[in-house]
Amino acid sequence: MSAEHHAPANATEYIQHHLLNLRANPALDPVDPSNIHLDTFWISLVLGFVFLFVFGMVARRASVDKPSKFQLFIELIVELVDSNVKEIFHGKSKLVAPLALTVFVWVVLMNAMDFLPVDLLPKIATMFGVEYLKVVPTADINQGLAMSLSVVLLSVLLGIQAKGLVGFVVEFFTAPFHAEGLLMKIILIPVNGAMQCIEYGSRGLSLALRLVGNMFAGELVFMLIALLGMGWTGANPGSILGALGQVVAGSAWAIFHILIVILQAYIFMMLTIVYCGLAVEEH
């Protein structure tokens, strides 16, 4: 937070300003992992409660005889997730379906923050002394890694639940390379352990980087489109053409971005189900 706010002098400063998060300790380096991004935390938390409130309200008011259009829409989402879980996950855990539903809807809501005008919430925030505000939580690598590591950790716990702690540990050090003799099994223990660590690590990284990379790129494109408005110098042909280009480009990208927002949430959900399914299967 800061009492003084300086308007960006050029396009570079404008983009740099929008790429900085609201940090708990502004004195620390922006990339310091010990610093908490307050905007990412609070916006994702609020959207999580929005998800719980809306789905809870629909569940309480659900009608079998005369369902509302919104109820049918929510049921369509639930059925979509449930059908994917039944096809991919063959374990006995009742946690995977609710997890997949939560992941899908929550990520969609966080991604959809990109549809707000890029300067709207940051401008409002400056009125309350908040200098920096990034409104798309999924464009923050901290949020992406937190969600992906949570999924990987849960898959490990599901594997332990399905196979037992001993069974999970034995499989961890005897796959993917199998051997018949005791000596070869002992020799392959460090190799299998290293491969398993790499596999679990790559799952978390790929899950996070795919989501964050796409949303960060989309956010950056919206910033570049917004920069077209900085060239306004009055009611002259050049400025009018620039403003028209901003409207056309912004509308076209927003329509295309709808697919990205939904697709990235769907991929995150599907990979969550797949990783949980792999955890309970014998290898």
Side-chain angles (χ1 to χ4, degrees):
M1 295 188 181
S2 174
E4 298 180 2
H5 305 286
H6 305 284
N10 51 52
T12 301
E13 287 188 8
Y14 175 83
I15 293 177
Q16 289 177 342
H17 182 273
H18 276 282
L19 292 180
L20 288 176
N21 289 88
L22 173 63
R23 305 184 302 279
N25 188 354
L28 291 178
D29 190 278
V31 296
D32 192 319
S34 65
N35 214 344
I36 299 175
H37 291 175
L38 297 177
D39 44 10
T40 297
F41 174 79
W42 286 110
I43 292 174
S44 59
L45 182 64
V46 169
L47 292 176
F49 279 114
V50 169
F51 158 67
L52 294 176
F53 173 78
V54 171
F55 274 67
M57 179 186 67
V58 171
R60 288 192 299 270
R61 299 180 180 179
S63 173
V64 178
D65 299 326
K66 296 180 179 180
S68 65
K69 292 182 179 180
F70 190 62
Q71 178 186 331
L72 294 175
F73 173 70
I74 296 298
E75 289 178 353
L76 180 65
I77 296 175
V78 174
E79 290 175 5
L80 170 68
V81 175
D82 188 58
S83 62
N84 281 290
V85 172
K86 289 179 179 178
E87 291 177 5
I88 300 172
F89 183 78
H90 303 296
K92 298 180 180 180
S93 176
K94 297 181 180 180
L95 181 64
V96 176
L99 171 68
L101 178 64
T102 301
V103 164
F104 178 67
V105 179
W106 194 29
V107 173
V108 165
L109 290 175
M110 289 189 287
N111 290 352
M113 294 298 289
D114 223 355
F115 294 128
L116 294 175
V118 69
D119 290 310
L120 177 60
L121 292 184
K123 286 288 186 183
I124 295 174
T126 58
M127 299 177 185
F128 298 92
V130 179
E131 186 173 0
Y132 300 105
L133 184 69
K134 282 187 67 176
V135 300
V136 185
T138 44
D140 185 352
I141 188 61
N142 296 289
Q143 179 73 9
L145 284 174
M147 293 191 298
S148 63
L149 292 177
S150 297
V151 169
V152 172
L153 178 60
L154 179 62
S155 69
V156 171
L157 295 177
L158 288 174
I160 294 174
Q161 182 185 48
K163 304 167 186 175
L165 179 59
V166 175
F168 180 84
V169 172
V170 168
E171 184 180 88
F172 190 89
F173 291 105
T174 58
F177 302 113
H178 301 279
E180 296 297 332
L182 178 61
L183 179 61
M184 283 304 301
K185 287 182 179 180
I186 294 175
I187 293 175
L188 288 176
I189 283 177
V191 178
N192 284 324
M195 291 297 295
Q196 291 280 16
C197 290
I198 292 172
E199 181 179 351
Y200 280 103
S202 63
R203 288 178 185 179
L205 282 176
S206 63
L207 199 57
L209 294 178
R210 181 183 292 105
L211 174 63
V212 175
N214 279 276
M215 297 315 302
F216 182 85
E219 189 179 25
L220 190 58
V221 171
F222 276 121
M223 292 179 195
L224 295 174
I225 293 173
L227 285 173
L228 294 173
M230 294 183 67
W232 181 264
T233 58
N236 56 71
S239 295
I240 294 174
L241 185 62
L244 180 62
Q246 183 181 27
V247 172
V248 172
S251 301
W253 180 247
I255 293 172
F256 176 72
H257 204 56
I258 293 174
L259 299 175
I260 298 176
V261 163
I262 299 176
L263 180 61
Q264 290 305 313
Y266 183 77
I267 292 174
F268 202 99
M269 175 200 73
M270 289 295 292
L271 289 177
T272 298
I273 302 172
V274 169
Y275 293 159
C276 292
L278 289 173
V280 301
E281 293 179 358
E282 297 291 338
H283 298 284

